Amino acid sequence: MFTRTLQAGVLVSLLHAASTMAQTADVTDLQRRLEEQERKTAVLEPKLEIKDETTKAALPSTPVIKAGSKGFSIASQDNANGIKFRGLVRIDGRNFTDNSNMGGADQWQATRVRPWVEVTLYNFVDFRIMPDFGRGRTVLQDAWSACNPPRISASSSAATRPASRPTVIWGCSSAATC
């Protein structure tokens, strides 16, 4: 009986020593992996910062491109500059079921073909050109331009400044959009 108890004690001691060595090996492996990840992080963080700065610097120069039911447009991020492409096409079709009696021919005719371009430059100049190419002729259907100078407002306060020296403020009034 004593021999069995001794054998059981030795077996428990060996198992405990083996598990302690395994835990030590696991901790050593985890420490090695942690150090490796810290080295990788130290290398990647500066690269990520440079990439973020590059992206932020490029953002204002990236155009906004849209396509929808109102046409195609390309504009700057702040909408100060932009170009819009739109169009209208009307086609009439005539189809005769019995061409021998009527003497007519089946035909398709473009009665209206109106592409137009709208341009905004620096929120200062707007213009639009709309030609009409329908029915085999070219007509300038619509063309306009507008100049939007910056709004100027002057104000003066007798308590702080003499009336002969007004303060000039460049910008937009609250009712206008610039």
Side-chain angles (χ1 to χ4, degrees):
M1 181 82 151
F2 178 73
T3 313
R4 283 189 166 212
T5 307
L6 184 62
Q7 287 175 349
V10 170
L11 184 62
V12 168
S13 297
L14 287 173
L15 289 174
H16 178 65
S19 72
T20 304
M21 288 189 326
Q23 287 177 354
T24 305
D26 286 344
V27 169
T28 306
D29 184 49
L30 288 174
Q31 287 177 342
R32 181 188 55 79
R33 289 174 54 195
L34 179 63
E35 289 172 0
E36 183 180 321
Q37 289 297 323
E38 286 176 349
R39 281 194 306 269
K40 286 181 180 178
T41 303
V43 169
L44 291 175
E45 279 180 349
K47 289 181 180 179
L48 183 60
E49 289 175 7
I50 291 170
K51 187 174 182 180
D52 287 344
E53 291 172 2
T54 306
T55 304
K56 287 179 184 178
L59 187 61
S61 64
T62 305
V64 177
I65 301 171
K66 296 179 185 176
S69 61
K70 293 185 176 182
F72 301 100
S73 66
I74 301 171
S76 60
Q77 286 285 336
D78 60 356
N79 284 329
N81 299 300
I83 184 166
K84 296 176 185 175
F85 300 99
R86 299 181 180 185
L88 172 74
V89 177
R90 181 184 295 170
I91 298 175
D92 290 339
R94 296 182 179 100
N95 185 14
F96 297 100
T97 56
D98 186 14
N99 289 341
S100 61
N101 291 341
M102 301 293 251
D106 297 339
Q107 63 179 349
W108 292 93
Q109 182 180 18
T111 56
R112 284 191 187 168
V113 180
R114 291 184 183 172
W116 71 87
V117 178
E118 296 177 4
V119 177
T120 300
L121 299 172
Y122 301 106
N123 274 341
F124 186 70
V125 176
D126 297 324
F127 64 88
R128 175 171 61 185
I129 298 173
M130 181 193 300
D132 188 351
F133 300 109
R135 296 188 178 166
R137 59 189 171 157
T138 302
V139 177
L140 184 59
Q141 191 68 31
D142 187 18
W144 61 263
S145 65
C147 182
N148 306 313
R151 311 278 192 259
I152 299 174
S153 61
S155 64
S156 176
S157 172
T160 58
R161 290 187 180 88
S164 62
R165 297 187 62 209
T167 302
V168 177
I169 302 170
W170 290 88
C172 297
S173 64
S174 60
T177 59
C178 286

